[in-house]
Amino acid sequence: MTFDRRKFLGGSVVTGAGVVLAGAGAPTAAAAPAAPAGRGGGAGRERYAFTVMGTTDLHGNVFNWDYATDAEFDDKDHNDVGLAKISTLVQDVRREKGRKNTLLIDAGDTIQGTQLGYYYAKVDPITGPHGPVHPMARAMNAIGYDAAALGNHEFNYGIPVLRKFEESCRFPLLGANAVDAKTLRPAFRPYVIKRLRTPRGRDVRVAVLGLTNPGIAIWDKANVQGKLAFPGLTEQAAKWVPKLRSMGADVVIVAAHSGASGTSSYGDQLPYVENAAALVAEKVPGIDAILVGHAHVEIPERRVVNKATGREVVLSEPLKWGQRLTCFDVEVEWRRGRWAVASVGSKVLNSNAVAEDPQITDMLRAAHAKVVAYVNRVIGKSKAEMSAAEAPVKDTAILDFIAFVQAEAVRKALAGSAHAALPVLSQASCFSRTAKVPAGEVSIRSMAALYPFDNTLEARVLTGRQLREYLEFSARYYVQTAPGGPVDPARVTNADGTPDYNYDVVSGVSYEIDIAQPAGRRIGKLTFEGKPLADDARFVLAVNNYRASGGGGFPHVASAEQVWSTSEEIRNLIIAWVEASGLIDPAVFASVDWRLTRDGVPVF
């Protein structure tokens, strides 16, 4: 797993002229003139301006297309998505700035997230003996990326798929803190240094350091345990940034698949911070800008003061799926025989302002058509429509369906085992409030919309006391609301920023959630088979691997005894269940087992 350092160090510095692949037919523009002297420096000093463009969390989006609705992507803000849109924005910036005066990087989560990503990992896998080149690699190669950091979702399909994707990319995948578990040496390239030639013939050496998320060790434990380790971003940046400066880097840009909030979703299971980008800027001297990823939020520009130097570090996070393109505008000045950064600023460009690049869409039209045909294959029927619109505030049939399929899979797997006699409960979350199972014919895309993540299923043993604490932790999702008066469903959820996917409901028990009470004292009337739940009762919980690995920081489940697991995605278990039964009948599995109350009075 260790990266070949001799080969890497021998080819780590590349020249700006000719290293960027021709993208979308855009002509190479002449170099932009040096910026006028005098701003922030002495008269006559040479200045040079360049732009580093960045994307992040592309998540398998090439086309402006929603595979779940089988239509062009749209949301309430009328955003667009996809690399075909990004390609047009990139061409526009290159024409404005001069091709030789730009770089293009990414902050990770590239190959998972849409049915296109799933198709080329599992249905027609790129790892097959005659497997195709991944469409994301083809698009990014054509656009002319210079580097991309590894995201945590790069590891979802296993290391062989990631390595095959890496082979297909004509740019390096960077991960300074993705190391061999035994040798602790880099398993991927830590950095790349690019040379940009100024009009007067001097080179500006721009280093790009890639950092990924330490949560990979938890979230993809099954794929990486014993093979890779993921030290903290701050710790590894402190190791590599001085090396880059000693190697002559004039400008240091970090591509970090890590949000800027300073928070973690996996509790205290790792000593490292999940969303550490701002901490890296604050604690590690020598960084000029950070392209932020992972958090799926838009940060046009944020300035963080480094505590050691007092200098500002500029952070920017473009919105996910190719909805935005970050532009870091950097100006350097020749001082005392070397380049010094004079200014850095950033902004984001909206991809809904441009058309898709026809070179990208034409090149990948056949690959896209295969995925569209796959997701539209009919696999069964549903007796009634099931919607997730009210799932965050009411016990709905659509989440009961997920829980039912999971519980049935666990019961079958445990049959004849030492744990077969234990009752099976099942956890489910609302991943998308727009998910819907239609009445009538049901296709693969209906199930994909219902369960968009590539989570797998596990079975863990919990006690009654642990289950109560699990539910109390989940119920922190609700805003504390005094009794009396109407309740707006849109305002009662997502307390303290808790996302929908970190709110769990559990089927197989009955309970109330009193939102008039403070978090930690909300679960009441918790019963099993009509009787109060005993603290020492034992259950098997059917739970997704993200939650079982510590995702969301829920108590007990990550340390609980695992009695079964499968590498099959839950989405595929649901699809197989529909294909086998032919009919989804809510009367079989739907029931109201939990409800919101205020001082015992039902809210809805």
Side-chain angles (χ1 to χ4, degrees):
M1 292 301 301
T2 303
F3 185 80
D4 188 338
R5 290 175 58 81
R6 292 171 300 173
K7 178 180 176 183
F8 165 58
L9 293 174
S12 63
V13 180
V14 291
T15 60
V19 297
V20 181
L21 301 171
T28 301
R39 286 186 294 160
R45 284 180 178 169
E46 180 184 357
R47 286 187 174 233
Y48 174 67
F50 63 94
T51 297
V52 179
M53 296 173 282
T55 54
T56 191
D57 297 277
L58 293 168
H59 282 291
N61 285 282
V62 175
F63 288 75
N64 184 40
W65 193 258
D66 185 341
Y67 291 102
T69 62
D70 199 27
E72 281 197 8
F73 178 88
D74 195 22
D75 63 14
K76 63 181 179 61
D77 298 316
H78 302 297
N79 288 304
D80 287 347
V81 301
L83 277 169
K85 290 269 185 173
I86 290 296
S87 182
T88 302
L89 287 177
V90 168
Q91 288 184 68
D92 290 346
V93 173
R94 285 172 175 164
R95 277 192 290 266
E96 177 189 353
K97 306 291 185 178
R99 176 67 178 263
K100 295 181 180 180
N101 305 313
T102 64
L103 296 172
L104 175 60
I105 63 177
D106 183 82
D109 275 7
T110 303
I111 60 173
Q112 180 276 343
T114 63
Q115 284 298 295
L116 180 139
Y118 180 81
Y119 186 89
Y120 289 100
K122 292 298 185 76
V123 181
D124 186 9
I126 60 175
T127 50
H130 304 290
V133 177
H134 201 292
M136 294 299 288
R138 293 178 65 189
M140 295 174 81
N141 287 341
I143 296 168
Y145 274 77
D146 292 286
L150 294 165
N152 55 285
H153 285 288
E154 259 67 83
F155 296 86
N156 286 172
Y157 297 125
I159 293 172
V161 170
L162 174 54
R163 288 300 188 189
K164 189 66 176 181
F165 174 70
E166 182 185 29
E167 288 176 16
S168 302
C169 294
R170 297 204 293 267
F171 53 89
L173 298 183
L174 306 178
N177 62 327
V179 300
D180 183 275
K182 295 181 177 64
T183 67
L184 300 184
R185 294 175 179 173
F188 296 83
R189 291 192 184 190
Y191 65 89
V192 67
I193 297 179
K194 311 290 272 188
R195 291 180 185 260
L196 299 177
R197 181 62 55 89
T198 72
R200 295 187 188 179
R202 303 188 201 271
D203 285 344
V204 178
R205 293 156 64 97
V206 182
V208 180
L209 177 69
L211 296 170
T212 192
N213 206 287
I216 296 165
I218 290 176
W219 303 321
D220 269 297
K221 182 179 179 180
N223 290 327
V224 302
Q225 188 174 34
K227 301 173 184 176
L228 295 173
F230 301 89
L233 283 86
T234 303
E235 294 80 0
Q236 290 298 295
K239 170 184 174 181
W240 285 101
V241 172
K243 290 184 179 181
L244 295 174
R245 290 294 185 181
S246 69
M247 292 170 64
D250 301 301
V251 181
V252 174
I253 309 291
V254 174
H257 193 75
S258 180
S261 66
T263 61
S264 289
S265 67
Y266 43 71
D268 59 359
Q269 294 180 70
L270 285 179
Y272 309 118
V273 177
E274 175 184 350
N275 294 301
L279 296 176
V280 171
E282 182 181 279
K283 294 183 177 181
V284 181
I287 298 170
D288 297 298
I290 300 179
L291 177 66
V292 179
H294 183 60
H296 291 199
V297 298
E298 182 175 337
I299 305 174
E301 182 181 85
R302 176 180 171 185
R303 294 178 178 269
V304 176
V305 175
N306 182 268
K307 288 186 174 181
T309 65
R311 292 180 60 88
E312 288 185 334
V313 182
V314 176
L315 279 62
S316 181
E317 181 175 4
L319 202 57
K320 63 187 184 298
W321 306 345
Q323 295 179 39
R324 304 287 187 272
L325 175 73
T326 279
C327 292
F328 291 106
D329 292 317
V330 183
E331 189 174 42
V332 293
E333 182 179 70
W334 186 256
R335 301 175 188 166
R336 299 177 182 177
R338 64 171 300 163
W339 291 108
V341 173
S343 67
V344 182
S346 66
K347 61 184 178 183
V348 294
L349 305 178
N350 195 329
S351 66
N352 72 4
V354 297
E356 291 183 311
D357 179 355
Q359 179 181 343
I360 303 301
T361 55
D362 290 349
M363 178 178 67
L364 294 172
R365 197 170 303 282
H368 171 68
K370 288 181 180 179
V371 180
V372 170
Y374 165 73
V375 300
N376 279 290
R377 183 165 62 86
V378 174
I379 56 174
K381 293 184 177 181
S382 177
K383 271 196 169 184
E385 179 181 280
M386 298 186 295
S387 170
E390 295 184 314
V393 294
K394 295 181 181 180
D395 191 342
T396 54
I398 199 166
L399 292 193
D400 287 344
F401 177 52
I402 295 173
F404 171 76
V405 173
Q406 292 178 163
E408 190 170 275
V410 168
R411 287 190 191 97
K412 287 181 178 179
L414 294 181
S417 75
H419 297 88
L422 290 180
V424 176
L425 312 179
S426 189
Q427 160 267 346
S429 302
C430 178
F431 294 135
S432 170
R433 299 189 187 200
T434 61
K436 185 181 296 184
V437 175
E441 291 186 339
V442 173
S443 63
I444 286 177
R445 68 181 174 87
S446 302
M447 299 301 100
L450 175 60
Y451 210 107
F453 295 110
D454 294 317
N455 295 335
T456 57
L457 186 61
E458 297 190 14
R460 301 274 179 138
V461 177
L462 293 181
T463 66
R465 179 186 60 81
Q466 290 173 330
L467 179 64
R468 180 184 293 277
E469 292 173 4
Y470 186 101
L471 291 171
E472 285 285 10
F473 184 86
S474 183
R476 80 201 191 289
Y477 169 75
Y478 293 106
V479 176
Q480 188 172 2
T481 307
V487 175
D488 182 354
R491 295 178 181 274
V492 77
T493 61
N494 308 108
D496 298 323
T498 302
D500 291 349
Y501 63 78
N502 273 342
Y503 170 61
D504 286 2
V505 298
V506 174
S507 293
V509 290
S510 296
Y511 56 97
E512 294 182 353
I513 304 172
D514 192 335
I515 61 174
Q517 301 301 317
R521 299 210 310 262
R522 292 178 170 174
I523 301 300
K525 298 184 179 179
L526 178 57
T527 63
F528 173 69
E529 295 184 340
K531 298 178 181 179
L533 190 71
D535 282 352
D536 60 352
R538 297 176 75 237
F539 301 91
V540 171
L541 179 67
V543 60
N544 70 59
N545 70 303
Y546 173 78
R547 187 70 77 237
S549 297
F554 279 62
H556 306 304
V557 65
S559 59
E561 179 188 6
Q562 182 195 80
V563 294
W564 177 78
S565 68
T566 178
S567 61
E568 192 67 71
E569 289 87 358
I570 292 171
R571 176 176 55 243
N572 280 354
L573 295 175
I574 296 172
I575 290 169
W577 187 94
V578 175
E579 287 183 307
S581 66
L583 182 67
I584 303 172
D585 183 359
V588 173
F589 50 79
S591 61
V592 178
D593 296 319
W594 65 271
R595 70 187 70 217
L596 298 184
T597 65
R598 288 181 296 178
D599 284 352
V601 179
V603 174
F604 301 109

